[in-house]
């Protein structure tokens, strides 16, 4: 499952967040820190301190949808803008999930594994 590339606005939270936060904690962060309505249907993206995990949150008619991706070996290339909240497009969000540094358009290496152990 992926966010649609047609999303008009995606907000990246620049600073890392505590990944113990559930959808409720992230919704409160959106509302209180950004002054945004978490029920607006816009996608909000958060990362952890190591930049190897992403959580995406948005409201879809009857409830919150929470996307989670954890990289095996690499790190997500997070924008270094001064703003606390960075706006990107749905297409750029999918590139970010694919491992691209969206400022350079350079991807991660593909990883292949035979077992979890």
């Amino acid at each position: 499952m992926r966010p649609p590339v047609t999303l008009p606005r995606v907000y990246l939270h620049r600073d890392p967040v505590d990944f113990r936060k559930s959808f409720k904690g992230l919704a409160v962060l959106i509302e209180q820190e950004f002054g945004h309505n978490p029920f607006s249907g816009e996608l909000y993206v958060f990362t952890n301190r190591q930049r190897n995990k992403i959580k995406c949150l948005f409201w879809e008619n009857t409830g919150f949808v929470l996307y989670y991706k954890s990289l095996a070996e690499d790190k997500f290339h997070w924008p270094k803008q001064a703003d606390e909240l960075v706006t990107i497009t749905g297409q750029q969000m999918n590139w970010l999930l694919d491992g691209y540094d969206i400022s350079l358009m350079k991807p991660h290496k593909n990883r292949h594994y035979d077992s979890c152990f």
Side-chain angles (χ1 to χ4, degrees):
M1 295 180 69
R2 286 290 180 103
V5 296
T6 57
L7 281 171
R9 262 184 300 218
V10 176
Y11 295 103
L12 298 182
H13 185 257
R14 185 178 47 84
D15 296 328
V17 298
D18 182 350
F19 260 40
R20 293 175 290 185
K21 287 184 187 293
S22 69
F23 67 93
K24 289 180 183 179
L26 295 174
V28 168
L29 184 93
I30 292 165
E31 190 173 68
Q32 292 183 350
E33 285 195 27
F34 310 140
H36 289 202
N37 180 355
F39 304 102
S40 67
E42 294 171 325
L43 184 71
Y44 292 87
V45 185
F46 304 90
T47 188
N48 62 339
R49 190 172 312 282
Q50 294 81 23
R51 302 264 191 251
N52 64 346
K53 295 179 177 106
I54 280 184
K55 278 188 180 181
C56 304
L57 181 72
F58 74 96
W59 177 261
E60 186 180 62
N61 300 326
T62 57
F64 283 106
V65 175
L66 184 68
Y67 289 104
Y68 182 90
K69 183 166 184 176
S70 177
L71 295 177
E73 296 183 32
D74 299 303
K75 294 181 184 273
F76 287 103
H77 300 283
W78 219 245
K80 293 180 172 60
Q81 297 180 4
D83 297 331
E84 185 175 17
L85 203 57
V86 178
T87 305
I88 63 172
T89 67
Q91 181 63 63
Q92 288 172 314
M93 178 62 211
N94 278 278
W95 289 335
L96 184 68
L97 288 171
D98 286 337
Y100 280 81
D101 181 338
I102 56 177
S103 62
L104 301 175
M105 290 309 300
K106 182 179 175 187
H108 290 147
K109 292 181 189 177
N110 285 338
R111 306 287 182 184
H112 302 281
Y113 301 98
D114 294 326
S115 174
C116 289
F117 299 104

